[in-house]
Amino acid sequence: MGQRRRRPRENPSEAAERQSLFREVNERIQQLGESFDLAEEPFHIVCECGNDGCHEMIELSESEYEQVRQNPERFAVLPGHEIPEVERIVGANDGFLIVEKVGEGGRIAAARDPRR
């Protein structure tokens, strides 16, 4: 868990698109949990890293999830899954990091935010 995958230099727009897709999946998971009164503390989301093939889960509380969602350029990723070429670490909680997309990736992430 949490191991970094080696790959060629990251394309900012491709990473932002992948991360935005994972964010949309997690938003849907949260909505379904609320709709069916299945909300649990803590709950699990898919790691929102831009790494191809990552299907690892992150355990967090509802308030931690909402903290990440306050900024459309931020994502929850496992330690070691951050991509320094296209994002910066802006927070760390027990078991996961909060990363913020920069530049072109940030613009894409904000435009694809399902809450906006």
Side-chain angles (χ1 to χ4, degrees):
M1 179 168 94
Q3 294 182 353
R4 181 177 297 200
R5 291 165 174 79
R6 300 231 185 261
R7 65 189 173 292
R9 187 164 176 82
E10 189 63 57
N11 177 309
S13 58
E14 289 175 4
E17 291 289 342
R18 281 192 303 271
Q19 287 176 280
S20 295
L21 175 63
F22 288 129
R23 176 176 56 197
E24 290 173 29
V25 168
N26 290 331
E27 283 289 292
R28 189 69 179 132
I29 289 169
Q30 184 198 35
Q31 291 168 356
L32 287 171
E34 289 175 356
S35 295
F36 293 101
D37 199 27
L38 300 174
E40 297 178 10
E41 284 282 333
F43 70 102
H44 295 85
I45 63 169
V46 177
C47 177
E48 297 175 336
C49 72
N51 297 326
D52 286 332
C54 176
H55 305 291
E56 295 185 56
M57 303 297 286
I58 295 173
E59 182 179 287
L60 70 171
S61 69
E62 176 102 17
S63 64
E64 289 171 326
Y65 183 75
E66 290 304 320
Q67 177 188 4
V68 175
R69 291 293 163 260
Q70 288 179 358
N71 183 323
E73 298 167 353
R74 292 186 178 175
F75 297 88
V77 303
L78 290 166
H81 288 216
E82 66 275 9
I83 307 170
E85 298 91 354
V86 297
E87 62 199 12
R88 64 177 172 254
I89 298 170
V90 295
N93 291 342
D94 188 30
F96 70 96
L97 303 173
I98 301 170
V99 297
E100 184 173 284
K101 305 304 288 180
V102 295
E104 179 184 355
R107 289 186 290 280
I108 291 169
R112 295 221 27 210
D113 183 5
R115 291 190 175 187
R116 304 231 186 301

